[in-house]
């Protein structure tokens, strides 16, 4: 969830000071980009696969386990597992690995081992980790303010979002009929907390880039966002309702929205944002963040970024990082300092967690490979595709998953599965080969993407078919969701990719 803070309340003076410090940070960043302060990044090792995975916690009865602090204490690996906003969440940081040779296979095995070790240590608390985009047994009464993890940042974030909004948040979500039915379900609810955001558990992929390479990679990531979501959708249920294939996308946007209706009508930008244009420089994104969005956590440090630069030090730009961390772009620009060197990276945030370790690795490999190939193309894809088309692709993919029809240059409107099979899988393979990833690793991960498209089975599609089958057999919705989740956890633990999972049982 970002940098820790010490204050829970802020004054108008705090906000003015913070705005000035963000402006100083922007001046410092502009000078660093102009003066080549990032020059050493060009000479950095080959790009690495870096990821964060958010998990839900469930009890043996498949209800949410509100015990993340106890679980983290039992796991006792604070470098890998950390808190998240909701008491039923934890986050895992996966040690980055190179995108060359067989190194991704080592990342995969390291991820499995970390999960095995965590699982062995947490059973005393009647809790287990579930890799899923949205926990289907979550009810609205699990999402109140009393479910916020005890942490000043989370508490302050909740207070500031509601202070900015001035009223409760309205959740308005429409569904897609389950297989075999023509009934579109709806969820309408008011909430007085941002905990519904915690229902949205994701896979976040990081790519460190030289400044000159940042803009084309960000533009390419925007082009691919819809395809990523169509391939990986895994969030079809919330509060007993069958909603979008990737409900996490609209729910996250609504749960963090600081705008009452009147500001929406004025065209004020949302904090969960796809953006509105292709960019020429990473500075474009940071400038938009500073210009358009009020501070939610305006805690000011004593550091002077311009003085640091003048004296030959790399500035932390803490206020810029803090502000940036409360604007939830689906492809977020990140400034950071590691090993004494400043760097920029793109944090890709569109993907849900799960369903398995193998599916997670496949989703990552497809993203990195397709991204590299799109950037390396002779004619940039974003020169042949409107920004609005890329945004609409994301919405359609979130609603319909692999059933979506997406727009693609030179093709027009095409089924997401056909687009991947005919166009993007060969590109992803070529991109991963350019990174130096072995044929063995490429075949392993991209074969899973191919299998999903051929079987038309994402995590969301499997969940929806399972629940529909159970309801046809006479189960009510709550019983069907619990039984489905139990099947899901068993298949996740078995480890086979989701396109190989058995079709749902019809019996109770």
């Amino acid at each position: 969830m970002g940098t820790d803070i010490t204050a829970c309340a802020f004054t108008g003076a705090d906000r003015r000071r913070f705005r000035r410090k963000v402006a100083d940070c922007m001046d410092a960043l502009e000078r660093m980009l102009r003066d080549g302060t990032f020059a050493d990044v060009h000479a950095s090792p080959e790009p690495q696969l870096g990821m964060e995975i958010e998990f839900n916690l469930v009890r043996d009865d498949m209800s949410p386990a509100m015990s993340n602090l106890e679980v983290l204490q039992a796991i006792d690996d604070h470098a890998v597992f950390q808190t998240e906003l909701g008491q039923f969440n934890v986050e895992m940081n996966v040690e980055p690995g190179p995108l060359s040779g067989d190194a991704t296979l080592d990342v995969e095995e390291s991820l499995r081992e970390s999960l095995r070790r965590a699982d062995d240590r947490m059973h005393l608390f009647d809790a287990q980790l579930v890799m899923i985009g949205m926990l289907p047994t979550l009810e609205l009464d699990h999402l109140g303010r009393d479910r916020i993890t005890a942490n000043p940042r989370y508490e302050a974030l909740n207070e500031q979002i509601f202070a900015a909004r001035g009223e409760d948040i309205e959740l308005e979500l429409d569904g897609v009929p389950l297989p075999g039915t023509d009934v579109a379900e709806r969820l309408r609810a008011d909430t007085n907390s941002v905990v519904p955001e915690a229902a949205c558990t994701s896979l976040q992929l990081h790519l460190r880039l030289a400044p000159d390479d940042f803009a084309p990679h960000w533009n390419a990531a925007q082009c691919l966002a819809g395809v990523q979501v169509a391939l990986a959708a895994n969030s079809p249920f919330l509060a007993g309702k069958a909603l979008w294939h990737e409900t996490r996308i609209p729910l996250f946007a609504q749960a963090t929205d600081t705008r009452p209706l009147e500001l929406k009508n004025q065209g004020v930008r949302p904090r969960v944002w796809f953006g509105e244009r292709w960019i020429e420089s990473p500075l474009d994104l940071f400038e938009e963040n500073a210009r358009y969005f009020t501070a939610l956590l305006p805690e000011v440090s004593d550091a002077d970024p311009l003085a640091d630069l003048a004296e030959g030090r790399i500035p932390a730009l803490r206020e810029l990082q803090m502000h940036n961390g409360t604007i939830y772009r689906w492809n977020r620009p990140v400034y950071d300092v590691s090993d004494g060197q400043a760097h920029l990276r793109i944090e890709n945030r569109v993907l849900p967690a799960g369903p398995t370790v193998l599916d997670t690795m496949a989703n990552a490999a497809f993203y990195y490979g397709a991204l590299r190939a799109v950037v390396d193309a002779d004619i940039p894809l974003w020169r042949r595709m409107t920004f609005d088309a890329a945004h609409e692709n994301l919405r359609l993919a979130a609603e319909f998953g692999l059933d979506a029809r997406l727009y693609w240059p030179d093709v027009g409107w095409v089924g997401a599965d056909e687009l991947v099979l005919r166009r993007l899988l060969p590109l992803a393979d070529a991109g991963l080969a350019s990174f130096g990833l072995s044929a063995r690793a490429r075949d392993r991960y991209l074969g899973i993407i191919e299998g999903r498209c051929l079987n038309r089975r994402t995590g969301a599609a499997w969940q929806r078919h399972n629940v529909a089958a159970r309801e046809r057999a006479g189960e009510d919705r709550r019983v069907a969701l619990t039984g489905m989740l139990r099947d899901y956890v068993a298949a996740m633990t078995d480890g086979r990719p989701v396109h190989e999972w058995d079709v749902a049982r019809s019996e109770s």
Side-chain angles (χ1 to χ4, degrees), residues 132-327:
I132 194 166
M134 188 169 292
L135 193 63
T137 54
L138 274 173
E139 300 287 351
L140 292 175
D141 60 6
H142 295 135
L143 303 176
R145 299 177 69 144
D146 59 330
R147 302 305 187 182
I148 297 176
T149 299
N151 179 298
R153 179 185 173 89
Y154 306 142
E155 294 166 4
L157 186 65
N158 186 79
E159 293 299 324
Q160 294 302 309
I161 284 178
F162 280 90
R165 185 179 174 88
E167 62 189 50
D168 286 354
I169 288 174
E170 297 177 70
L171 302 180
E172 298 185 356
L173 300 162
D174 294 326
V176 176
L178 288 176
T181 77
D182 58 4
V183 177
E185 301 174 24
R186 306 171 71 194
L187 177 64
R188 298 289 186 270
D190 291 345
T191 178
N192 65 354
S193 82
V194 296
V195 178
E197 175 192 337
C200 308
T201 39
S202 66
L203 165 66
Q204 296 157 22
L205 301 173
H206 292 255
L207 183 63
R208 178 172 166 173
L209 294 159
D212 290 346
D213 296 330
F214 187 97
H217 281 80
W218 188 86
N219 290 339
Q222 296 286 92
C223 292
L224 291 169
V227 180
Q228 287 182 269
V229 169
L231 278 171
N234 198 26
S235 311
F237 294 101
L238 177 67
K241 303 292 186 180
L243 302 170
W244 286 12
H245 283 239
E246 190 50 36
T247 304
R248 186 181 57 91
I249 296 290
L251 178 63
F252 190 80
Q254 293 182 25
T256 56
D257 199 343
T258 57
R259 307 168 302 163
L261 180 61
E262 294 79 8
L263 292 185
K264 292 181 187 179
N265 291 339
Q266 292 176 40
V268 173
R269 293 159 179 85
R271 296 193 87 91
V272 176
W273 199 29
F274 187 75
E276 59 194 20
R277 63 185 175 117
W278 307 120
I279 65 168
E280 301 294 333
S281 162
L283 205 62
D284 294 343
L285 301 177
F286 290 106
E287 285 179 339
E288 287 179 346
N289 288 355
R291 184 184 312 124
Y292 296 142
F293 298 99
T294 57
L296 288 183
L297 303 175
E299 187 170 83
V300 178
S301 70
D302 294 330
D304 183 337
L306 296 173
D308 285 341
L309 272 183
E311 296 171 17
R313 295 188 297 270
I314 300 297
L317 306 187
R318 187 178 186 277
E319 288 77 15
L320 186 70
Q321 290 194 61
M322 179 70 73
H323 188 51
N324 194 61
T326 63
I327 300 159

Side-chain angles (χ1 to χ4, degrees), residues 78-98:
H78 302 299
V80 176
F81 290 93
Q82 298 173 355
T83 60
E84 259 294 339
L85 172 67
Q87 294 174 6
F88 51 90
N89 300 143
V90 296
E91 181 179 89
M92 179 184 189
N93 296 302
V94 180
E95 186 69 23

Side-chain angles (χ1 to χ4, degrees), residues 338-414:
S338 59
D339 299 325
Q341 292 290 328
H343 73 261
L344 296 172
R345 63 181 187 268
I346 295 172
E347 180 186 33
N348 178 257
R349 302 167 52 83
V350 299
L351 290 170
T356 67
V357 169
L358 201 46
D359 285 300
T360 297
M361 295 299 298
N363 289 341
F366 176 82
Y367 166 71
Y368 287 113
L371 188 72
R372 174 68 178 265
V374 168
V375 169
D376 286 349
D378 292 336
I379 302 176
L381 183 63
W382 53 95
R383 302 297 185 203
R384 300 183 291 129
M385 183 178 189
T386 67
F387 197 88
D388 286 346
H391 193 186
E392 180 67 359
N393 279 351
L394 177 61
R395 187 195 67 79
L396 291 169
E399 187 170 1
F400 298 110
L402 272 181
D403 294 331
R405 292 185 66 80
L406 307 179
Y407 176 79
W408 205 254
D410 302 327
V411 178
W413 292 96
V414 61

Side-chain angles (χ1 to χ4, degrees), residues 411-423:
V411 178
W413 292 96
V414 61
D417 53 347
E418 183 178 356
L419 174 61
V420 172
L421 289 170
R422 292 179 178 270
R423 290 293 183 106

